[in-house]
Amino acid sequence: MSSQNIYILGIESSCDDTAAAVIHNGKILSNVVANQKIHEAYGGVVPELASRAHQQNIVPVVHEALKIANVSKEQLNAIAFTSGPGLMGSLLVGTSFAKSLALGLNIPLIDVNHMKAHILAHFIDEEGFNKPPFPFLAMTISGGHTQIVKVDSYFDMTVLGETIDDAVGEAFDKSGKILGLGYPAGPEIDKRAKLGNPKAFKFTKPKVAGLNFSFSGLKTAILYFIQREVQANSNFIKENLNDICASIQYTIIGILIEKLKLASKETNIKHIAIGGGVSANSGIRQALKDGEQKFGWTTYIPKFEFTTDNAAMIAIVGYLKYLEGNFAEQNVMASARLKI
């Protein structure tokens, strides 16, 4: 079956980005994303505004993806879409559109778990990027999720540890809000961290047993630290912003790497992959590469455009499920809290 010309349209609408991609036998032909800038004014994603924007964007985004791929609707073999986890209103827009299009074209419908897609993005056929062998460990880090997953095959995954409160993306954004940075704050903290001293200020790392994570305590520690220092010097943030950002990022990376080290030791797996929007962070990427020398890891970092929420990762999962004949029924429902 894999030798046939298989075209899958992938649709992603789990949060605030409307995305569509076309994949041909594992190779991405187009990957279109419409970002929603409106949330910046609110310091976070507003669910109602997100779902409205998805309704406006989904048709032109799908049209553009097909146009760039030079593929007609009639050539499509299946429609893959994100069924969860995510914002319910946003998921419903993508789910409803995918159902309607698949029904109208009389082709299979394929539901995709967003978190599994972040992991399986590593299997997109992309020149210069190696695919991890099974079994491997995947760390998925995003605005809403922080997980370490043992991956035994495409569809056999076990969550070994996850956050018990805030995700790593929230830790960056909430720290940025304390510092008066815009939303999302992660890229700005990353940029400033390169100019600062990562050991200028020391923040206590939360003590969480096993492979689970916690970031809410770190956020509180940063808040109290800033309040105390600003009380003594009203210009403290302005005078030390780069060092503060570097120290925050250094602490967060330390938490992530320590848990990965423990997971690798417990499972005796040294193939390590990362995925999710926060994996675009240059400090995290460098720390993972450093792990190859320090811990004997072989690391896998996806192409930048496949790290943030995108439809290429939905399309590759759709392709892999298509090969197995693993299709969804028309009564499939979106699930905001879908688990791996």
Side-chain angles (χ1 to χ4, degrees):
M1 189 180 237
S2 60
S3 62
Q4 296 179 6
N5 283 321
I6 299 169
Y7 294 94
I8 308 287
L9 172 67
I11 295 171
E12 153 63 18
S13 68
S14 65
C15 191
D16 62 331
D17 290 334
T18 314
V22 177
I23 193 168
H24 173 231
N25 293 351
K27 189 172 183 62
I28 298 298
L29 301 182
S30 64
N31 187 30
V32 179
V33 181
N35 304 114
Q36 298 178 10
K37 299 293 185 183
I38 192 170
H39 306 285
E40 293 176 5
Y42 299 93
V45 177
V46 181
E48 176 63 24
L49 295 179
S51 57
R52 288 182 187 178
H54 282 304
Q55 290 175 335
Q56 295 172 341
N57 292 337
I58 195 161
V59 171
V61 163
V62 168
H63 177 78
E64 186 69 10
L66 291 169
K67 182 181 176 182
I68 292 172
N70 195 26
V71 171
S72 68
K73 297 191 297 294
E74 290 71 28
Q75 288 177 273
L76 296 173
N77 296 89
I79 310 294
F81 70 98
T82 302
S83 60
L87 301 175
M88 196 60 188
S90 296
L91 290 168
L92 286 173
V93 175
T95 301
S96 301
F97 184 89
K99 282 184 178 184
S100 301
L101 188 57
L103 187 64
L105 296 172
N106 194 29
I107 57 177
L109 184 67
I110 301 172
D111 57 321
V112 175
N113 182 304
H114 180 88
M115 298 311 296
K116 287 184 178 180
H118 272 305
I119 295 170
L120 295 178
H122 286 277
F123 294 93
I124 293 171
D125 186 4
E126 188 71 28
E127 189 175 346
F129 289 82
N130 295 324
K131 300 172 184 177
F134 300 114
F136 66 92
L137 294 178
M139 184 171 70
T140 52
I141 44 180
S142 66
H145 298 86
T146 304
Q147 297 178 326
I148 295 178
V149 182
K150 181 171 176 280
V151 186
D152 290 300
S153 70
Y154 295 134
F155 304 112
D156 183 5
M157 302 182 186
T158 306
V159 177
L160 302 180
E162 59 189 340
T163 183
I164 59 176
D165 42 56
D166 288 354
V168 65
E170 291 174 298
F172 276 113
D173 287 335
K174 290 179 179 178
S175 297
K177 191 171 184 178
I178 293 167
L179 296 173
L181 302 179
Y183 173 86
E188 182 67 15
I189 290 176
D190 187 22
K191 184 174 77 174
R192 290 186 173 277
K194 295 174 185 176
L195 306 173
N197 176 7
K199 297 183 180 179
F201 306 106
K202 185 174 177 61
F203 299 108
T204 304
K205 295 175 183 175
K207 291 179 171 59
V208 184
L211 296 174
N212 285 334
F213 299 85
S214 172
F215 291 100
S216 65
L218 175 62
K219 173 205 67 180
T220 303
I222 292 167
L223 174 63
Y224 289 163
F225 167 77
I226 294 298
Q227 286 177 340
R228 185 173 64 249
E229 295 296 333
V230 169
Q231 193 169 11
N233 174 12
S234 60
N235 292 320
F236 176 76
I237 294 176
K238 185 178 179 180
E239 292 172 1
N240 298 276
L241 187 55
N242 291 340
D243 286 347
I244 298 169
C245 288
S247 300
I248 290 172
Q249 181 157 298
Y250 178 78
T251 305
I252 291 173
I253 291 170
I255 294 169
L256 296 174
I257 296 300
E258 283 177 14
K259 293 295 184 177
L260 264 182
K261 280 170 57 181
L262 182 58
S264 178
K265 184 179 179 180
E266 289 185 357
T267 60
N268 198 31
I269 296 173
K270 292 189 178 294
H271 290 277
I272 314 289
I274 59 170
V278 184
S279 65
N281 179 282
S282 65
I284 293 173
R285 285 173 170 244
Q286 187 58 52
L288 201 66
K289 295 300 290 183
D290 292 343
E292 295 187 332
Q293 297 294 323
K294 292 180 181 178
F295 317 121
W297 293 346
T298 302
T299 60
Y300 304 86
I301 302 172
K303 190 176 181 181
F304 183 84
E305 69 178 275
F306 301 148
T307 56
T308 53
D309 289 351
N310 66 91
M313 67 183 193
I314 305 304
I316 186 62
V317 181
Y319 174 67
L320 294 171
K321 292 184 81 169
Y322 184 91
L323 295 179
E324 294 191 357
N326 188 351
F327 306 137
E329 299 294 333
Q330 271 288 329
N331 62 357
V332 64
M333 296 179 67
S335 173
R337 299 186 179 277
L338 188 64
K339 300 292 185 183
I340 282 183

